[in-house]
């Protein structure tokens, strides 16, 4: 019955479809036909589904309901979203570790001279600033917001930032070795 109703709706060639769990109760052949149709569908399609495989094949944009009335707009399919979420979790853990290390360093710099302590603090600020600038340029490239004429200059600027970061990080490691 569900297949027949779906066919009658699709024959009418609507320009907007709302599908709620369209893969439930469909056999594999019908599911493949539905996927093929939806991939070529020229109109707007809103799908609510728990079928991850189906979502990966069909959608290119997600509305993620977080609860408490919070809805996140995400460009990409479900696998892209999971990869993004996993990387965000890893980044959060790294940020927590960095904060703990910074706290330990601030409270355990007795092996450094006064000038070395000041240099260490300055280097840490510079590293944060350089990392921020690097992320900004990388974001421009990732979002394709770099004009064709600026690609070379932005790439060179990015490489220069990376080189500066490496130099600062080497010195940071040297000073931290003295603390231990």
């Amino acid at each position: 019955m569900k297949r027949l109703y779906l066919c009658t709706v699709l024959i009418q060639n609507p320009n907007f479809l709302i599908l709620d769990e369209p893969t439930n109760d469909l056999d594999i052949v019908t599911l493949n036909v539905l996927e093929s149709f939806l991939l070529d569908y020229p109109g707007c399609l809103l799908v609510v589904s728990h079928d991850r495989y189906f979502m990966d094949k069909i959608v290119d944009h997600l509305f993620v309901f977080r609860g408490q009335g919070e809805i996140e707009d995400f460009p990409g399919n479900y696998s892209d979203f999971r990869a993004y979420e996993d990387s965000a979790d890893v980044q959060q853990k790294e940020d927590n570790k960095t904060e703990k290390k910074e706290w330990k360093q601030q409270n355990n710099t007795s092996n450094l001279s006064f000038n070395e302590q000041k240099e260490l603090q300055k280097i840490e600020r510079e590293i944060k600033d350089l990392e921020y600038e690097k992320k900004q340029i990388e974001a421009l490239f990732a979002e394709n917001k770099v004009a064709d004429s600026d690609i070379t200059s932005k790439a060179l600027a990015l490489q220069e930032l990376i080189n500066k970061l490496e130099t600062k990080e080497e010195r940071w490691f040297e000073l931290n070795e003295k603390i231990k």
Side-chain angles (χ1 to χ4, degrees):
M1 189 67 161
K2 186 175 181 179
R3 285 184 257 174
L4 181 60
Y5 180 71
L6 184 58
C7 285
T8 58
V9 169
L10 296 178
I11 288 174
Q12 296 172 7
N13 199 19
N15 62 359
F16 186 80
L17 281 176
I18 299 174
L19 301 176
D20 184 14
E21 297 291 348
T23 60
N24 287 0
D25 304 323
L26 294 181
D27 58 38
I28 293 179
V29 173
T30 308
L31 183 58
N32 287 335
V33 170
L34 177 64
E35 286 176 356
S36 297
F37 175 82
L38 294 177
L39 285 171
D40 296 330
Y41 181 69
C44 184
L45 178 64
L46 179 66
V47 179
V48 177
S49 180
H50 290 92
D51 187 340
R52 295 175 182 187
Y53 179 74
F54 179 77
M55 297 277 285
D56 276 346
K57 287 182 81 174
I58 300 300
V59 304
D60 59 7
H61 193 87
L62 298 174
F63 292 116
V64 181
F65 289 75
R66 298 282 186 187
Q68 305 295 327
E70 181 184 347
I71 302 171
E72 182 180 329
D73 185 17
F74 183 82
N77 63 21
Y78 186 78
S79 292
D80 296 337
F81 174 72
R82 292 302 320 155
Y84 170 77
E85 285 287 299
D86 292 343
S87 69
D89 290 343
V90 170
Q91 183 63 38
Q92 181 65 30
K93 288 177 184 176
E94 289 176 3
D95 290 345
N96 289 342
K97 287 180 183 177
T98 303
E99 288 175 13
K100 287 178 184 177
K101 286 180 183 177
E102 287 175 0
W103 184 82
K104 284 181 181 178
Q105 289 170 355
Q106 289 173 354
N107 294 322
N108 189 19
T109 57
S110 59
N111 294 344
L112 298 178
S113 70
F114 179 75
N115 288 337
E116 287 174 330
Q117 289 177 14
K118 290 188 90 167
E119 181 184 5
L120 181 62
Q121 291 173 353
K122 180 182 175 191
I123 287 174
E124 288 174 348
R125 284 191 307 271
E126 289 173 346
I127 287 174
K128 283 182 184 178
D129 293 341
L130 290 169
E131 285 176 344
Y132 177 77
E133 289 179 49
K134 180 181 167 215
K135 285 180 184 178
Q136 294 297 323
I137 293 174
E138 288 173 342
L140 289 174
F141 278 111
E143 296 168 3
N144 292 325
K145 290 186 178 179
V146 180
D148 292 341
S149 59
D150 293 338
I151 290 177
T152 304
S153 63
K154 290 289 184 188
L156 290 173
L158 180 61
Q159 186 58 49
E160 186 178 323
L161 282 172
I162 291 170
N163 293 340
K164 285 181 183 178
L165 258 171
E166 288 175 356
T167 304
K168 298 287 182 189
E169 288 171 346
E170 285 176 18
R171 180 62 181 150
W172 182 85
F173 282 120
E174 290 173 6
L175 292 172
N176 275 301
E177 283 298 315
K178 288 185 176 183
I179 293 173
K180 296 177 181 178

